[in-house]
Structures are given as structure tokens and as C-alpha cells.
Amino acid sequence: GAVVSQHPSRVICKSGTSVKIECRSLDFQATTMFWYRQFPKQSLMLMATSNEGSKATYEQGVEKDKFLINHASLTLSTLTVTSAHPEDSSFYICSASFYSSYNEQFFGPGTRLTVL
Amino acid sequence: TQLLEQSPQFLSIQEGENLTVYCNSSSVFSSLQWYRQEPGEGPVLLVTVVTGGEVKKLKRLTFQFGDARKDSSLHITAAQPGDTGLYLCADRTNAGGTSYGKLTFGQGTILTVHP
């Protein structure tokens, strides 16, 4: 149980375009979803926390107008990287939790974004 | 802001050797977790420790939590190539509100076990 999927697993796009990444909880209803960013050989950096039906809470230094997060249902959250640039190339990972799991986070497999 | 420091950052050893990875916090852990992440995948939870002085074992992995709940170690006995990966410690906040369940990660230890 507690499986989280991400789509796509890899995406390559041109500079200036927007990219949408989906995060789905497959067998549970996620009250909270988290989005992380990870550069090569580095740790995970939390970008934002989203609760279903409310606006995401962004970490300091993360541009909310550039990284749009939508958590419209209890099983789906999306991260849209708007006007992507090469410096946005990274590994984006989502996680999901639900209250009765004592807020244990279950991680998705990640999405590798490459901006040319 | 809580800071988690892991050491060493990189570890390259031969199969069969033992190793220890350390995680130190600038403040008391709420709930300490250790994760392992393989390249191109999400992190996988190995263990959660809550009580100071706690020791947990998972096959060849031994996790210790300091009495003061500000430090932890992960010891691997007889390392195997399949243990290769990024090991991350994290503190899971139990604070209320929108921070509930939020994870703060250490910078990680990259372990390479050579056959």
C-alpha cells in the first residue's frame, strides 16, 4: 500500500516552455503533498507543501509564480514549471501523506527535467 | 532553522567492510528518520526513531539515536554492492498547522560499495 506515482518520469523541453508534472497517490487519499527538488549528488530541498483544496505553502526562496502547484483532489497534485530555463533542470520528487499515517511521507519515483 | 549535518559526505569502500554514517542536528530531533535513495528514484524509508538512546536493527543495518536526541548513526555491517546509494537522515516535525509532518533532510552521504 501507500504507492505514489509521478508522470512523466523524464521530460526534456526547450527554454521558455512550461512543463507540468503530476503526482498521484494510487491507493490512498493524500491530505498533504510535498514537492522537492534535488540536484545531482545533493539532498532533497523542500519547495512547497500543499493541502487538498487550499493554496500551497512555499518555502523561502521558491518563486510561487514560477512553480505553480495545484492540489485539486485527494489523489492528485501537479507542479507546473513555467517559462523553464536551463537552471530549472533538476530531479523533482513529490511525496504524499495522510493523517492516519501519522503524516508519514510516501515518496514518488521522481521526474527528471532537462531544459535545453 | 534546524540544520542537519551528515558525515562523511562521500564513502567508498570494498565489499565486506563495515561503515558508519553520522547525523547531527543543531536542535533536538522531533522524530528522526533514515532514508536510502538510489539514482533516479525517490527515497525509501529505512527506519524511524523517536526515543533517546533507541537502537533499531534492520538486517545488517543498525541505527542508534543519541540520548539527547540530537545525533544519530547508521552502521552497516559487511557492506554489499547493493547497499550503494545516497543515505539521508531527516527530522520529521510534529509541530501543528501547515508544518505538520514536514521533513528537514541532511545533505546526505553517498555510499559506494565496490565488489
Side-chain angles (χ1 to χ4, degrees):
Chain A
V3 178
V4 177
S5 70
Q6 283 184 239
H7 178 79
S9 58
R10 291 177 176 268
V11 57
I12 301 173
C13 69
K14 293 183 178 180
S15 184
T17 60
S18 295
V19 174
K20 180 184 285 188
I21 302 170
E22 291 185 349
C23 176
R24 293 182 185 274
S25 56
L26 299 185
D27 51 3
F28 66 98
Q29 292 186 323
T31 48
T32 305
M33 287 186 169
F34 303 83
W35 285 96
Y36 296 85
R37 181 173 180 173
Q38 184 178 33
F39 292 108
K41 298 187 178 181
Q42 293 188 23
S43 187
L44 281 72
M45 296 298 296
L46 180 65
M47 299 175 66
T49 304
S50 73
N51 294 292
E52 186 266 338
S54 60
K55 289 184 179 180
T57 301
Y58 289 81
E59 294 299 300
Q60 192 172 8
V62 178
E63 300 175 57
K64 59 183 179 182
D65 293 331
K66 180 167 183 62
F67 299 100
L68 302 178
I69 292 173
N70 184 282
H71 190 168
S73 77
L74 285 171
T75 59
L76 173 65
S77 176
T78 60
L79 167 67
T80 301
V81 183
T82 62
S83 186
H85 291 284
E87 56 266 30
D88 298 324
S89 298
S90 188
F91 194 51
Y92 292 87
I93 305 173
C94 73
S95 69
S97 67
F98 53 99
Y99 185 74
S100 58
S101 72
Y102 300 98
N103 282 290
E104 194 71 54
Q105 289 187 34
F106 302 95
F107 286 85
T111 296
R112 172 73 60 194
L113 170 63
T114 303
V115 185
L116 302 176
Chain B
T1 303
Q2 180 186 31
L3 294 176
L4 301 187
E5 290 191 5
Q6 284 186 240
S7 62
Q9 281 189 273
F10 302 94
L11 198 49
S12 180
I13 61 172
Q14 293 296 125
E15 182 176 4
E17 293 183 9
N18 301 332
L19 67 112
T20 302
V21 176
Y22 300 92
C23 176
N24 292 284
S25 173
S26 57
S27 57
V28 173
F29 283 103
S30 298
S31 175
L32 170 66
Q33 298 185 316
W34 282 95
Y35 289 83
R36 176 169 166 266
Q37 183 184 22
E38 295 192 31
E41 298 182 11
V44 175
L45 179 64
L46 297 174
V47 74
T48 300
V49 287
V50 178
T51 306
E54 189 173 2
V55 177
K56 284 191 174 181
K57 291 192 175 184
L58 182 65
K59 298 183 180 178
R60 293 177 293 101
L61 279 61
T62 301
F63 304 87
Q64 289 191 312
F65 199 19
D67 291 340
R69 298 176 63 232
K70 294 183 69 175
D71 60 275
S72 179
S73 65
L74 158 60
H75 183 79
I76 301 179
T77 304
Q80 299 176 359
D83 296 327
T84 294
L86 173 66
Y87 288 82
L88 296 158
C89 66
D91 188 22
R92 187 181 70 192
T93 181
N94 293 324
T98 56
S99 296
Y100 194 49
K102 179 177 171 179
L103 289 174
T104 301
F105 283 93
Q107 73 265 48
T109 294
I110 297 176
L111 171 64
T112 304
V113 182
H114 301 280

